[in-house]
Amino acid sequence: MSIKIFVPQDSAALALGADVVAENVLIEAKRRGIDVTLVRNGSRGMLWLEPLVEVQTADGRMAYGPVGPEDIAGLFEANFHLGGAHTLGLGLTEEIDYLKRQERLTFARVGITDPLSLADYLALSGFQGLHKALTMAPTEIVQEVTESGLRGRGGAAFPTGIKWKTVLGTAAAQKYVVCNADEGDSGTFADRMIMEGDPFVLIEGMTIAAVAVGATQGYIYVRSEYPQAISVLNKAIDIARQGGYLGSDILGSGKAFELEVRKAAGSYVCGEETAMLESIEGKRGIVRSKPPLPAISGLFGKPTVINNVISLASVPIILDRGAAFYKDYGMGRSRGTLPFQLAGNIRQGGLIEKAFGVTLRELMVDYGGGSASGRPIKAVQVGGPLGTYLPESQWDTPLDYEAYMAMGAVVGHGGIVVHDDTADLAKLARYAMKFCAIESCGKCTPCRIGATRGVEVMDKIIANQDRPAQIELLRDLCDTMLNGSMCAMGGMTPYPVLSALEHFSQDFAQAVHEETVAGEHHV
């Protein structure tokens, strides 16, 4: 009987040599006369263990990692293909503590299935949500999503059902569904992992959205730095179309929906929904004025559902298991789960899908194992490059949209970047302003000019040039950017800057001290 061995094709695993590992597994198995079926699965999200090789045994899948090409011969010597003991052995995959303590709803299949096997997807409840949606009235689908409490898994956290209801209620001959997969925030990779590891769940979620609002065409706007995701998605769309899950007559229902992948233009601001629409239309990615809302006049001026990958990938389980099942996870108005992504100076970086309410300290210590350097953690940036820097006093606040908003922070896409006590928050805060100045689309003055002036003011603060007056000027400038910018690009740039000033003011003083010492030494 053929032995099933799993080697990930996720980008993180590929970057660490997974293709060579897979090749060596086949070569070594053939040399030993062992019949092996190689499955290229997605990543389990334990990135410090990549490439993570798994073997199907009678007891379940056994994990070994991180596995290098040079380890393959020794693994076969230890009969790893039969679940044999080895120094790289991690036991049953499902029993690994990091994985076992998660609540995997959106990521239920990621790392388990062959991403391009329709049979694998169907065997694990795939397209059950779509089947159910096709038996419901559009208003019933929208109501189910609304009652689940699902909110946008990006910056604004807007209720998904309300957005769909607006599109449904807007009369038009043509409507669209657009997936924002321009995942550009630092420390984020959940969208990529879904697209590479379970593309059918995104296709299913978008198709349900289309059925709900009456759309017939969809686009997935994928960042250009994700060639593997683009390749997997295009193949999955073809497979889904051949299986009758896309096209002019979805599963014989008479409903039509076509899907196309669009490669992004390489601009951070195209993560903003209206700039993304401009880019899909072939124009320069510049933010549009609102109103009108994209739900009323979006892509090509037509009513458009715009959600990100995790929002849409969460829809199938809501339709399959019901709104009450999904709503049972989470807290307050933050229902369901979010795939948190641990990155930066962390020992065990990776993806952790948990219900809202978990804390930063739990994620960094219980899952992340502390800093990679072994030094104390000093600051954590949550919500991308324009998220706040959180000091230790805020690490026990539950990760909840409203709780974070109350302390001037954002949960955003769930990206968490960790810095140890060697980090210079003055330099990091300056970088946020510089980042905004570079990435601004240039349409509105507060963002275009404000970020440029902000870098200049911060340089004066760091150099101790009339610091009190410059800090006051910086706060005033941040207030203008926060309240006057057209989108979150300029509106959120003050978050990291002001949080660094408020919680890590010693770093700005330290910069002066170092400059003074250096000057004295030079003299």
Side-chain angles (χ1 to χ4, degrees), residues 294-328:
I296 295 169
S297 178
L299 188 64
F300 302 113
K302 303 300 182 183
T304 306
V305 166
I306 303 174
N307 292 120
N308 73 3
V309 172
I310 303 304
S311 304
L312 289 162
S314 300
V315 167
I317 197 169
I318 291 170
L319 267 292
D320 181 25
R321 302 291 295 274
F325 168 81
Y326 191 79
K327 195 173 183 178
D328 193 44

Side-chain angles (χ1 to χ4, degrees), residues 140-275:
E140 292 176 322
I141 301 171
V142 171
Q143 186 60 28
E144 194 77 12
V145 172
T146 304
E147 288 181 4
S148 74
L150 179 67
R151 295 164 70 177
R153 299 302 192 229
F158 191 81
T160 303
I162 302 298
K163 187 179 287 189
W164 289 18
K165 185 178 181 180
T166 304
V167 178
L168 173 60
T170 304
Q174 176 69 58
K175 296 180 183 180
Y176 297 100
V177 176
V178 175
C179 174
N180 186 345
D182 193 26
E183 185 177 51
D185 285 351
S186 49
T188 58
F189 42 86
D191 289 0
R192 177 186 60 73
M193 284 182 62
I194 282 285
M195 292 186 288
E196 294 177 356
D198 192 15
F200 292 120
V201 79
L202 177 57
I203 293 169
E204 182 179 1
M206 292 186 72
T207 308
I208 292 170
V211 171
V213 304
T216 56
Q217 177 67 46
Y219 296 94
I220 307 175
Y221 187 81
V222 187
R223 70 177 303 199
S224 57
E225 294 87 348
Y226 284 175
Q228 177 71 1
I230 291 170
S231 173
V232 172
L233 279 172
N234 278 320
K235 291 174 184 174
I237 287 169
D238 287 341
I239 293 167
R241 188 181 294 113
Q242 290 164 18
Y245 298 97
L246 289 172
S248 59
D249 187 17
I250 300 166
L251 296 176
S253 66
K255 307 221 182 255
F257 184 60
E258 273 297 348
L259 200 49
E260 183 181 326
V261 175
R262 286 290 178 93
K263 188 163 97 170
S267 166
Y268 180 77
V269 82
C270 283
E272 195 279 335
E273 60 182 13
T274 62

